[in-house]
Amino acid sequence: MTGGPSGLVTLTTDFGTRDPYVGTMKGVIRRVHREADPIDLTHEIQPQDLMEASLVLDSCYRFFPAGTVHLVVVDPGVGTQRRAIVVDTPEHLFVGPDNGVFSRVYATEPRAVVREIRNESLMLSQISDTFHGRDLFAPVAAHLACGLDPAQVGPVIEDPVHRDPPQPVVWQDQITGEVIHIDSFGNIISNVTREIFEMLVGGRNFRIIVNSKQIDQLSRNYEDVERGRVLALFGSLGMLEIAVHGGRADRRIGAGRGDPIQILTGPA
Amino acid sequence: MTGGPSGLVTLTTDFGTRDPYVGTMKGVIRRVHREADPIDLTHEIQPQDLMEASLVLDSCYRFFPAGTVHLVVVDPGVGTQRRAIVVDTPEHLFVGPDNGVFSRVYATEPRAVVREIRNESLMLSQISDTFHGRDLFAPVAAHLACGLDPAQVGPVIEDPVHRDPPQPVVWQDQITGEVIHIDSFGNIISNVTREIFEMLVGGRNFRIIVNSKQIDQLSRNYEDVERGRVLALFGSLGMLEIAVHGGRADRRIGAGRGDPIQILTGPA
Amino acid sequence: MTGGPSGLVTLTTDFGTRDPYVGTMKGVIRRVHREADPIDLTHEIQPQDLMEASLVLDSCYRFFPAGTVHLVVVDPGVGTQRRAIVVDTPEHLFVGPDNGVFSRVYATEPRAVVREIRNESLMLSQISDTFHGRDLFAPVAAHLACGLDPAQVGPVIEDPVHRDPPQPVVWQDQITGEVIHIDSFGNIISNVTREIFEMLVGGRNFRIIVNSKQIDQLSRNYEDVERGRVLALFGSLGMLEIAVHGGRADRRIGAGRGDPIQILTGPA
């Protein structure tokens, strides 16, 4: 990170909000660094769903001030030999387990440097085998948020775990993507970016097919079609998204994560 | 607003907490103004339910310090021609879409001045068609929270959208109100204020009827009747409320939002 | 409390997050003391479940900085004659109703001093009969968080309400404990501490029985057994916990709160 710290620590976990696990992490953060400021991204990642956590983080970390620390605790391997890491990029720091949850960061931040967290003086004095979010990750994130040089956490590693997110396939006049997320409005979000879409379609006619539902045009917003109708647009994540004006597209179309989405086009 | 800013920005949305939409808005707020302090009111407004958002806001904004900015993003018309507005009152500022969500503010704050947000220099450099909460409302709220003069956002408008909340009807010896909210304890909250109730009933006997359940007295608190019994009281919102000591009134009585509630009284 | 205030106020309630009750309390806290910093522990305590609130608080308050105020509003008796109290301990302050919700604090903090809140100048000017969280507890907590001497809230009382949490019973070669919590991962948490377990078992063989499921060894972490298998470990609360690697133990075993858990051991 080249600038100074912002003091902010974003939190992304699969802990839910019923138990006080997240509150406890915030207590530890504030005990280490009184001015650190924890902000929730979400605590409702599906249990142990690394790909969802990776997507959530990617969709929003750029909107935070430079110098923000992003803490992710989706950690099925807690207490095993999996490494704990810090990912250092020009504007943001990321803290979490080395299980692939930062794969999208590696893909979009070519200058990322990954370090293993080994410096025990940065952790709580007792480390449980089941809650590194509290005992290890929260205090390290707090130290970084108050300006600790990432080089102090431990050595650079060259082989962090990657889990590549599914990529859309372009073949002849067709893109085959997949549904990567259903948001809380029921919008169906795919992995097809505007760039890939434009590259294939150019100015030609096209057809989008999800679960045999066909859509032949792009909308600009959710009210661009009549109430109750299905539409396609590039949403706030920059991805092709299927929605229903005033309703839930996931229920209407019966589509869920992992389902294919196809874009067909004909001769120019 | 006549005093200085408090730095606080309350957030009321229908985004839920599963997606990182709210966290992203907080990131933007903090990027615009490091000292701004976002506080959640609720993110569980029923999707696109303007009347619920209006009621929630009205029930609590007065408890915040003078100089607080209240941001509401319940915005079915995002990306259409609906206007974005700031409502300037002596003690509080309100920011959101011009869709009637501030109707209760207009009713209770006679000195409210409404301005359309037109100043693009206050927004993010790229404005999506689907997430003005992030791209437009959050940065404007942050600027106001750090002391921006509301006159800078854009011109005064005289015709903001009103959606009048349902009013109880008083006719002869009867009030006919309606259920406007079921809270998370299952308490049934009506639109009958203490003032209207007292005006009709005075010191006389009365009968409250909801879904054929009859209640003939007012309680002061939830333990004023035996455990498991239905009671009526004026709750923390100042409205006539039906509750069950130690249980859920909505399930017991089978009442939901929009159901009528009647208060009958006889000759003095 | 011997040191200075941290400014932090933790919040534990059964209010849920759908209604703006918690947000309103935060508004009041910030109105009393601009620098006070509310942190959510949980708002999803089962309605009026004092034992759960007591357990949640006990599991995490020590992780907060010295000088933190812990506010608990699980208050079935609001508006009745039940007292409102402050519990003053060397490092932390606790604020809430005198209904036994602080019983675990009394058990673990021998130097705790309990005071009844009587000083009306610390409260809002209007006190409702149904929402003391907003009108009484939040402002008192905020005053304490900015350094008010606890002696100012009211007189010491010697007879605060105790509700003793269930204790495991050790008899001959057997411990009979009980399930005190199911966390959001479905982990089954008992009231058997490591100390009691070690005292009985020493180095001998043992058998843990929950709902006729038998476990004969302790694991160190959730991946210590094959995926899908049941395991037992001492979790982050320091209690004996039954879990499933990659699954939910509560559903697998069909166990819920209050169910017995037995540890048997044989001759050395």
Side-chain angles (χ1 to χ4, degrees):
Chain A
M1 212 167 60
T2 51
S6 75
L8 301 184
V9 180
T10 76
L11 303 175
T12 302
T13 77
D14 59 357
F15 292 167
T17 52
R18 194 169 71 82
D19 293 302
Y21 300 139
V22 172
T24 306
M25 288 171 55
K26 292 178 183 171
V28 170
I29 288 171
R30 300 303 295 275
R31 198 166 66 176
V32 168
H33 179 32
R34 180 64 184 81
E35 298 304 313
D37 198 348
I39 295 188
D40 302 310
L41 291 186
T42 180
H43 302 293
E44 294 166 66
I45 298 293
Q46 295 296 307
Q48 313 190 348
D49 188 337
L50 304 171
M51 297 317 287
E52 187 183 17
S54 183
L55 177 69
V56 158
L57 188 65
D58 188 57
S59 74
C60 58
Y61 79 83
R62 293 170 196 82
F63 290 91
F64 281 81
T68 296
V69 178
H70 302 279
L71 173 53
V72 182
V73 191
V74 180
D75 192 14
V78 60
T80 66
Q81 293 301 310
R82 71 97 186 86
R83 297 175 293 197
I85 57 175
V86 171
V87 184
D88 185 6
T89 75
E91 297 213 325
H92 298 267
L93 290 167
F94 302 84
V95 178
D98 180 29
N99 56 18
V101 77
F102 299 122
S103 295
R104 286 173 189 267
V105 176
Y106 307 146
T108 55
E109 299 274 2
R111 295 164 61 193
V113 173
V114 184
R115 292 178 180 276
E116 183 176 356
I117 301 172
R118 291 241 193 104
N119 183 345
E120 294 184 6
S121 73
L122 304 174
M123 309 173 191
L124 296 197
S125 54
Q126 288 200 318
I127 309 286
S128 71
D129 285 310
T130 55
F131 194 3
H132 286 188
R134 177 190 68 193
D135 305 333
L136 188 158
F137 293 119
V140 168
H143 283 292
L144 293 167
C146 66
L148 179 79
D149 180 351
Q152 299 295 313
V153 305
V156 172
I157 62 173
E158 303 293 346
D159 60 344
V161 174
H162 282 70
R163 290 194 188 220
D164 292 328
Q167 295 298 329
V169 175
V170 184
W171 191 71
Q172 295 188 345
D173 285 331
Q174 182 172 337
I175 301 169
T176 304
E178 79 175 62
V179 176
I180 55 173
H181 189 58
I182 305 291
D183 79 8
S184 53
F185 292 91
N187 299 322
I188 298 168
I189 297 167
S190 79
N191 62 350
V192 178
T193 61
R194 190 187 290 271
E195 291 69 35
I196 288 172
F197 184 90
E198 293 297 345
M199 197 179 68
L200 176 78
V201 171
R204 299 183 293 173
N205 291 331
F206 61 89
R207 171 162 293 174
I208 300 167
I209 306 177
V210 190
N211 219 355
S212 76
K213 178 74 195 174
Q214 303 182 357
I215 306 156
D216 293 343
Q217 58 181 355
L218 282 182
S219 298
R220 289 199 55 190
N221 60 62
Y222 299 117
E223 297 205 332
D224 232 8
V225 299
E226 273 179 69
R227 199 168 176 82
R229 299 294 293 270
V230 175
L231 60 106
L233 49 63
F234 285 95
S236 57
L237 301 184
M239 303 292 193
L240 185 65
E241 194 177 312
I242 312 300
V244 168
H245 176 184
R248 290 189 67 97
D250 59 337
R251 290 182 193 151
R252 169 76 66 84
I253 295 179
R257 209 169 101 185
D259 285 357
I261 180 167
Q262 288 176 296
I263 298 107
L264 310 176
T265 188
Chain B
M1 211 167 60
T2 51
S6 75
L8 301 184
V9 179
T10 76
L11 303 176
T12 302
T13 77
D14 58 357
F15 292 167
T17 53
R18 195 169 71 82
D19 293 301
Y21 300 139
V22 172
T24 306
M25 288 171 56
K26 292 178 182 171
V28 171
I29 288 171
R30 300 303 295 275
R31 198 165 67 176
V32 169
H33 179 33
R34 180 64 184 80
E35 298 305 314
D37 198 349
I39 295 189
D40 302 311
L41 291 185
T42 179
H43 303 292
E44 294 166 66
I45 298 294
Q46 295 296 308
Q48 313 188 347
D49 189 336
L50 303 172
M51 297 317 288
E52 187 183 17
S54 182
L55 177 69
V56 157
L57 188 65
D58 187 57
S59 74
C60 59
Y61 79 83
R62 294 170 195 81
F63 290 91
F64 281 80
T68 296
V69 178
H70 302 279
L71 173 53
V72 181
V73 191
V74 180
D75 192 14
V78 61
T80 66
Q81 292 302 310
R82 72 95 186 87
R83 296 175 293 195
I85 57 175
V86 171
V87 184
D88 185 5
T89 76
E91 296 213 325
H92 298 267
L93 290 168
F94 301 85
V95 178
D98 179 30
N99 57 18
V101 78
F102 298 122
S103 294
R104 285 173 190 268
V105 177
Y106 307 145
T108 55
E109 300 274 1
R111 295 163 60 193
V113 173
V114 184
R115 292 177 180 276
E116 183 176 357
I117 301 172
R118 291 240 191 106
N119 182 345
E120 294 183 5
S121 73
L122 304 174
M123 310 172 191
L124 296 197
S125 53
Q126 288 201 319
I127 309 285
S128 71
D129 286 308
T130 55
F131 194 3
H132 286 188
R134 177 190 68 193
D135 304 334
L136 187 160
F137 293 119
V140 168
H143 283 291
L144 293 168
C146 68
L148 179 79
D149 179 351
Q152 299 296 313
V153 305
V156 173
I157 61 172
E158 302 292 346
D159 60 344
V161 173
H162 282 69
R163 290 194 188 220
D164 292 328
Q167 295 298 330
V169 175
V170 184
W171 192 70
Q172 294 187 345
D173 285 331
Q174 183 173 336
I175 302 169
T176 304
E178 79 175 63
V179 176
I180 54 174
H181 189 59
I182 305 292
D183 79 8
S184 54
F185 292 91
N187 299 323
I188 298 168
I189 297 166
S190 78
N191 62 349
V192 178
T193 61
R194 191 187 287 273
E195 290 69 35
I196 288 172
F197 184 90
E198 292 298 344
M199 196 179 68
L200 176 79
V201 171
R204 297 184 293 173
N205 291 333
F206 61 89
R207 173 161 292 174
I208 300 167
I209 306 177
V210 190
N211 219 355
S212 75
K213 178 74 195 175
Q214 302 183 357
I215 306 158
D216 293 342
Q217 59 181 352
L218 282 183
S219 297
R220 289 199 53 192
N221 59 62
Y222 299 116
E223 297 205 332
D224 231 9
V225 300
E226 272 178 70
R227 200 170 176 80
R229 300 293 292 271
V230 175
L231 61 106
L233 49 63
F234 284 94
S236 57
L237 301 184
M239 302 293 194
L240 184 65
E241 192 176 313
I242 312 300
V244 168
H245 176 184
R248 291 188 66 96
D250 59 338
R251 289 183 195 151
R252 170 75 68 82
I253 295 179
R257 209 169 102 187
D259 285 356
I261 180 167
Q262 290 177 294
I263 297 108
L264 310 176
T265 188
Chain C
M1 212 168 59
T2 51
S6 76
L8 300 184
V9 179
T10 76
L11 303 175
T12 301
T13 76
D14 59 357
F15 293 166
T17 53
R18 195 169 71 82
D19 293 302
Y21 300 138
V22 172
T24 305
M25 288 171 56
K26 292 178 182 171
V28 171
I29 288 171
R30 300 303 295 276
R31 198 166 66 177
V32 169
H33 179 33
R34 179 65 185 79
E35 298 305 312
D37 197 349
I39 294 188
D40 302 311
L41 291 185
T42 180
H43 303 293
E44 295 166 65
I45 298 293
Q46 295 296 307
Q48 313 190 346
D49 189 336
L50 304 172
M51 297 317 287
E52 187 183 17
S54 182
L55 177 68
V56 157
L57 188 65
D58 188 57
S59 74
C60 59
Y61 79 83
R62 293 170 196 81
F63 290 91
F64 281 80
T68 296
V69 178
H70 302 279
L71 173 53
V72 181
V73 190
V74 179
D75 192 14
V78 60
T80 66
Q81 293 302 311
R82 71 98 187 85
R83 297 175 292 196
I85 56 176
V86 170
V87 185
D88 185 5
T89 76
E91 296 213 325
H92 298 268
L93 290 168
F94 302 85
V95 178
D98 179 30
N99 56 18
V101 77
F102 298 121
S103 295
R104 286 172 190 267
V105 176
Y106 308 145
T108 55
E109 299 274 2
R111 294 164 61 194
V113 174
V114 184
R115 291 178 181 274
E116 184 176 356
I117 301 172
R118 291 241 192 105
N119 183 345
E120 293 184 6
S121 72
L122 304 174
M123 309 173 191
L124 296 197
S125 53
Q126 288 200 319
I127 308 285
S128 71
D129 286 309
T130 55
F131 194 3
H132 287 188
R134 177 190 68 194
D135 304 333
L136 187 160
F137 293 120
V140 168
H143 282 292
L144 293 167
C146 67
L148 179 79
D149 180 350
Q152 299 296 314
V153 304
V156 172
I157 62 172
E158 302 292 346
D159 60 344
V161 174
H162 283 68
R163 290 195 188 220
D164 291 329
Q167 295 298 328
V169 175
V170 184
W171 193 70
Q172 294 188 346
D173 285 333
Q174 183 174 335
I175 302 169
T176 303
E178 78 175 63
V179 175
I180 55 173
H181 190 58
I182 305 293
D183 79 8
S184 53
F185 293 91
N187 298 323
I188 297 168
I189 297 167
S190 78
N191 61 349
V192 178
T193 62
R194 190 187 288 271
E195 291 68 37
I196 288 171
F197 184 91
E198 292 298 344
M199 196 178 68
L200 176 80
V201 171
R204 298 184 293 174
N205 290 333
F206 62 87
R207 172 160 293 172
I208 300 167
I209 306 177
V210 189
N211 219 354
S212 76
K213 178 73 195 175
Q214 302 182 356
I215 306 157
D216 293 343
Q217 58 182 354
L218 281 182
S219 296
R220 289 199 55 192
N221 59 62
Y222 299 116
E223 297 205 332
D224 232 8
V225 299
E226 274 178 69
R227 200 170 175 81
R229 300 292 294 271
V230 174
L231 60 104
L233 49 63
F234 285 95
S236 56
L237 301 185
M239 302 294 193
L240 185 65
E241 192 176 312
I242 312 300
V244 168
H245 177 184
R248 291 188 67 97
D250 59 337
R251 290 183 194 152
R252 171 75 68 82
I253 294 178
R257 210 170 102 186
D259 284 357
I261 179 167
Q262 288 176 296
I263 297 106
L264 310 177
T265 188

